Amino acid sequence: MSTKFRTHGKGVVVWILLAVMVLGLGGFGVSSFGSGKQVVGSVGDTVISLNDYARALRQEMNAVQQQLRRPVSMADAKTFGIDMQVQSRLFTEAALTAEANRLGLSIGDAEVARQITQAPAFQGANGKFDRETYRMVLRQQGFTEGDFENRVRDDLSRSVLQGLVTSGVQAPAAQTNAYTAYVTESRPLSWAEIEPADLAAQPAQPTAEQLKAWYEAHTQDYMQPEARQISYVWLTPDMLKDEATPDDATLRAMYDQRIDEFKQPERRMVDKLVFPSDAEAEAAKARLEAGQISFEDLARERGLDIKDIDLGEVSREDLGAAADAVFGLSEPGVVGPIATDLGPALFKMNGIMTAEETSFEDAKTDLAAEGTMDRARRMISDMSADLEDRLASGATLEEMAKETRMQLGHIAVSGDSADGIAAYESFRDAAKAATAEDFPALGNLDDGGVFALRLDGITPAAPIPFEQLQERLATDWTAAELARLKRARAEEIVAAVSAGAVLADQGVLVSNAGAVERNGFIEGVPPDLIKTAFATAPGKPAVLDQGGRVFVLIPGQPIAADPKDPEVVQLHNQLSQRLAQSLAQDLLTHFAAAAEGELGLSVNSAAINAVQAQMQ
């Protein structure tokens, strides 16, 4: 199934747009592509600029980098197929935008304004939309207000089109039934774990020769990892907290500035589901009141996921025309239809959040802790220029410790180091990358601290000496020998049962389960016991050897679940919804491909190569 479109919910798409295009661009190196008027391609009249492509490509590379916990080069990106995934996604989005424009789909100014004013990126210190912040962020990223607002409008229009294309998609009943039968099938199961007492003989004490042979055969299991000997100086906000504590006047100012955080009005947890017409909204409301369908299933019928309709915790001012109706409910329920910018909507109130007020005295402790760290971080920031100048002038780490507030330390950094300064990822990365020729340079820590380091030497990885491992080697050898003897005993039992003997007659303790499902759980046994049972022919014995534990098991004949059982019905419905969503995604992909073919697709390979060349 296609994975181009993980969701087509309006809210999700918009917030991703804002996060990626605004919050996630700092330090991505895309400003060198100028005004963004050059293009990497187009679908119809909708173009994809160099900046759009560079941002999307760097964002995906950064996401993979965070997963792998190492830098990702352009060569890596091509190996992983990131470049083609980004290109495909952008051209598909362009095709949908172009088709939405051709069909005349457009979003009103009020909805565009609502989406933008609710974006965290554009909020000021008071948590509300701040126009100067909005202008500054857009200016930093090379956007005009009109250009950015058009992008938001296009994104919303594209989301509406996606909803129209995928609404009403249903999974084939035969496919859903087959999946449901497979998942809910159960089997009776008998099993016996081979215990040491079931063995004819216990492992003997290993001889020195056996331990030596074991050590030589498994040397890689007994390695001392490479250790990098590092000297460092560091300065963290915690080191300055005694002198950074704000006075009461400052704390009071912080409290007053964030008063909306400490005095919150009554809020409601609300879902919102928009319909194309009043008639459809009224019909949906009637089905709800008759108990024929849930609000969530109504959303799924329209191709939406639960998170796509969730407005979260909202106040009266967030709901506009729906405020009185929603806040008029004293318990969870549904109101509407109510006219909105996108059409008539039903609102489901899920919970009431009462008004909350935190006094200055109650908030003071937390404000003091936060204010202390903020002030300490600013103190370190103010010192940073001087610290950098000293290091650039050739000051040693020892001199830095004597002449500045930084503290000197030494550490051996290996792959599993996580103590002290090695708890910081930026320090570990710098320590792993350091060479003997490097001069100490100032680096940043996650908490606002700074550090500099020097590589003093490298202790290479090497086997731990045999003489230091006698007790550990004896334990490991004995465990391996015991597992071998258990396995041999299990194979003897399997041979006997296969020849017609009964498992219970083999001198082992047998356990039974009347009906175990594929995703079932049996306390005290590995999950793979059930997986092995469903992979084994009914009535045939099998062996599971896992982590030193050995089992003999015999699955019985499959038992079909009752299709009318409420849990089976619920699972069937869930599978049907997931299959429908997957089919809807495929349909959307094919629709976009058709739009590309009809409207015309143009690719500027030279521009794409130019972007990639700057990301090497």
Side-chain angles (χ1 to χ4, degrees), residues 392-414:
S393 298
T396 66
L397 300 184
E398 290 74 14
E399 290 170 341
M400 293 292 289
K402 290 179 180 178
E403 299 170 4
T404 73
R405 305 290 298 276
M406 302 188 83
Q407 298 180 12
L408 181 67
H410 306 277
I411 189 173
V413 179
S414 57

Side-chain angles (χ1 to χ4, degrees), residues 262-311:
F262 299 110
K263 294 184 178 181
Q264 295 192 1
E266 181 180 344
R267 292 152 293 149
R268 302 293 172 98
M269 298 175 65
V270 179
D271 294 335
K272 173 185 175 183
L273 185 57
V274 179
F275 291 84
S277 67
D278 287 323
E280 292 183 63
E282 292 285 3
K285 180 73 174 298
R287 293 170 68 194
L288 282 172
E289 293 174 344
Q292 297 174 354
I293 194 169
S294 67
F295 199 82
E296 292 75 14
D297 286 340
L298 276 177
R300 294 188 182 100
E301 283 187 351
R302 301 191 56 73
L304 300 174
D305 194 76
I306 302 302
K307 60 179 176 291
D308 299 333
I309 62 173
D310 182 12
L311 299 183

Side-chain angles (χ1 to χ4, degrees), residues 332-385:
V334 177
V335 296
I338 297 172
T340 71
D341 291 337
L342 294 179
L346 298 180
F347 291 82
K348 181 187 178 188
M349 193 275 284
N350 300 304
I352 299 174
M353 315 295 291
T354 58
E356 298 178 358
E357 181 173 344
T358 303
S359 68
F360 171 69
E361 292 302 323
D362 290 338
K364 187 175 177 179
T365 300
D366 290 340
L367 288 172
E370 182 181 335
T372 297
M373 290 298 102
D374 285 344
R375 186 177 178 188
R377 282 190 285 268
R378 289 196 300 272
M379 291 171 64
I380 293 174
S381 178
D382 292 341
M383 298 178 194
S384 293

Side-chain angles (χ1 to χ4, degrees), residues 160-202:
V160 172
L161 176 61
Q162 290 174 218
L164 293 173
V165 170
T166 59
S167 63
V169 174
Q170 295 182 349
Q175 187 177 18
T176 304
N177 292 340
Y179 281 149
T180 303
Y182 176 82
V183 172
T184 58
E185 176 189 281
S186 61
R187 293 188 179 190
L189 177 61
S190 299
W191 72 93
E193 181 173 4
I194 308 302
E195 302 286 359
D198 299 324
L199 303 176
Q202 301 300 310

Side-chain angles (χ1 to χ4, degrees), residues 384-396:
S384 293
D386 175 64
L387 299 176
E388 288 177 333
D389 289 344
R390 289 173 181 268
L391 289 169
S393 298
T396 66

Side-chain angles (χ1 to χ4, degrees), residues 526-540:
D528 280 356
L529 184 78
I530 297 176
K531 182 185 296 185
T532 303
F534 277 87
T536 303
K540 300 295 184 182

